[in-house]
Amino acid sequence: MSDGNVPSGGVRCMWMRGGTSKGGYFLASDLSADEGARDAFLLGVMGSPDPRQIDGMGGANPLTSKIAVVRKSERPDIDVDYLFLQVFVDQPIVTDKQNCGNILAGVGPFAIERGLVAAKDGRTEVRIFMENTNQTAIATIETPGGVVHYEGDARIDGVPGTAAPIAIAFKDTAGSTCGALLPTGNPVDVIDGIEVTLIDNGMPCVVLRASDMGISGGETVAELEANEALRAHLETIRLKAGPMMNLGDVAKQSVPKMTMVSPAKSGGAISTRSFIPHRVHDAIGVFAAVSVATACLIDGAPVAAIATIPDGSEKTLSIEHPTGEMTIVANVADNGEVERAAILRTARKLFDGMVFAG
């Protein structure tokens, strides 16, 4: 599909749950090479713009309106290239301005299923170049008998039941979008009188104390969604943070994410409530969790003073969120820099067939 026209027929697609998100996985060769035509098609696939996405595959939530575009890589020591696209629910926007570590969880299984990577008997490592941020992830997929295995005993919060574990390791994600781990060079900046940490360790985030925003940090998603004053204040801070993070005008962008932190409530390192950026996240994004975990390890950052940090160079940090927690394992160098971060995710194939844009 490369003629630059919106396809009138169906396009081959695999729908998958990746981590706590869900979306369509396409081979790049099955989509138009023209970005405008591609995006128009994907809007039609999802049924956007419409708050219910009733005329498409989207689930009326940013977490279920996502796309992975995958191709066999020509880069040395890389198996596949992965482009993440966020399809807005109620606006005619498709953006590549962020990455998604949850949808990333399905890229390895998808690449094996489509024959882009040869599976080994037991486990198969898939080296993935993330086009959005020019970084590499290594996903380890369960492949007994050379076949992707989706069933297993791994459990992640925000997803019912269990599935096969997918370990994903990241390196060199600092500043992947903003150009530096701390775009302003400061562990703390002040915006509208609120102390914040502007950070990018795979996902641009504004990290701030929940108490400074007038909340406890234990509110439900519904309570936060209904707090119009809070939402307006967060958006004011976000719009001012955008230029400070080298992101420019972010009024129509899905970054930076806004994460309010409070002391852990269930034995973890920290408790979080995230806006992504205009809806409340039922959990927390993978790269947002990595960025928040990194902020916990930075001297002078507001969150560092209230986080519970284990000893040792390898630190296991439980990042609590509304539906549970996400565990980040960070390797810290002698100079205090985070050298490597890894997470545990799961994925499940939902359907494989043809999808239509209408």
Side-chain angles (χ1 to χ4, degrees):
M1 184 71 58
S2 59
D3 59 4
N5 297 316
V6 178
S8 57
V11 171
R12 191 181 185 196
C13 172
M14 186 179 292
W15 221 260
M16 301 185 77
R17 175 188 61 77
T20 55
S21 293
K22 184 166 60 176
Y25 289 68
F26 294 85
L27 291 176
S29 57
D30 287 335
L31 294 174
S32 174
D34 178 82
E35 289 187 9
R38 178 201 69 191
D39 291 353
F41 173 71
L42 294 176
L43 287 166
V45 166
M46 287 297 185
S48 298
D50 172 38
R52 295 186 300 158
Q53 290 182 318
I54 195 65
D55 201 35
M57 294 296 299
N61 189 295
L63 301 182
T64 57
S65 188
K66 298 184 174 187
I67 295 292
V69 182
V70 183
R71 73 182 79 230
K72 191 170 183 63
S73 184
E74 297 180 356
R75 307 171 198 273
D77 299 321
I78 299 293
D79 295 310
V80 295
D81 296 341
Y82 153 58
L83 176 69
F84 169 71
L85 298 173
Q86 178 71 59
V87 181
F88 280 46
V89 174
D90 55 358
Q91 299 182 63
I93 296 173
V94 178
T95 179
D96 63 0
K97 299 303 182 183
Q98 69 176 76
N99 206 339
C100 180
N102 277 304
I103 291 297
L104 170 66
V107 170
F110 174 76
I112 295 171
E113 295 251 25
R114 285 289 188 263
L116 303 182
V117 176
K120 298 178 180 179
D121 184 9
R123 294 178 177 173
T124 302
E125 283 194 352
V126 181
R127 299 181 62 89
I128 303 164
F129 181 80
M130 299 175 286
E131 294 186 41
N132 304 76
T133 53
N134 295 322
Q135 304 295 330
T136 300
I138 303 173
T140 302
I141 313 302
E142 300 291 315
T143 53
V147 178
V148 176
H149 193 65
Y150 293 99
E151 296 181 355
D153 298 325
R155 183 185 302 275
I156 61 174
D157 286 324
V159 176
T162 63
I166 298 175
I168 306 177
F170 306 102
K171 291 185 67 175
D172 304 322
T173 53
S176 55
T177 300
C178 300
L181 178 68
L182 300 173
T184 66
N186 306 318
V188 57
D189 290 286
V190 179
I191 302 177
D192 282 356
I194 303 296
E195 289 188 336
V196 301
T197 296
L198 308 180
I199 190 168
D200 171 19
N201 199 9
M203 177 64 70
C205 289
V206 178
V207 183
L208 60 165
R209 286 183 291 254
S211 58
D212 289 343
M213 300 302 295
I215 66 171
S216 70
E219 289 80 2
T220 65
V221 171
E223 288 171 334
L224 293 174
E225 287 277 6
N227 192 334
E228 294 295 341
L230 172 67
R231 293 168 65 123
H233 195 182
L234 284 173
E235 182 64 4
T236 297
I237 294 173
R238 193 181 79 87
L239 294 177
K240 292 181 179 180
M244 297 171 67
M245 300 180 74
N246 303 317
L247 297 171
D249 182 359
V250 297
K252 295 184 178 180
Q253 293 189 35
S254 56
V255 290
K257 310 301 187 188
M258 307 295 292
T259 299
M260 297 173 289
V261 298
S262 58
K265 297 166 176 60
S266 302
I270 207 76
S271 178
T272 64
R273 293 295 186 268
S274 298
F275 279 74
I276 55 171
H278 303 121
R279 295 282 298 273
V280 181
H281 202 312
D282 292 340
I284 187 171
V286 169
F287 289 109
V290 172
S291 290
V292 171
T294 304
C296 291
L297 303 173
I298 297 175
D299 289 338
V303 64
I306 57 177
T308 302
I309 306 298
D311 295 330
S313 59
E314 182 174 283
K315 301 178 185 297
T316 299
L317 304 178
S318 172
I319 308 300
E320 298 176 2
H321 55 71
T323 51
E325 66 86 38
M326 183 180 296
T327 297
I328 304 295
V329 180
N331 293 93
V332 182
D334 292 339
N335 63 3
E337 292 186 2
V338 176
E339 293 183 317
R340 181 179 183 271
I343 60 163
L344 174 67
R345 296 280 84 188
T346 66
R348 187 167 83 86
K349 180 169 66 172
L350 304 177
F351 85 69
D352 188 0
M354 306 291 283
V355 69
F356 297 82

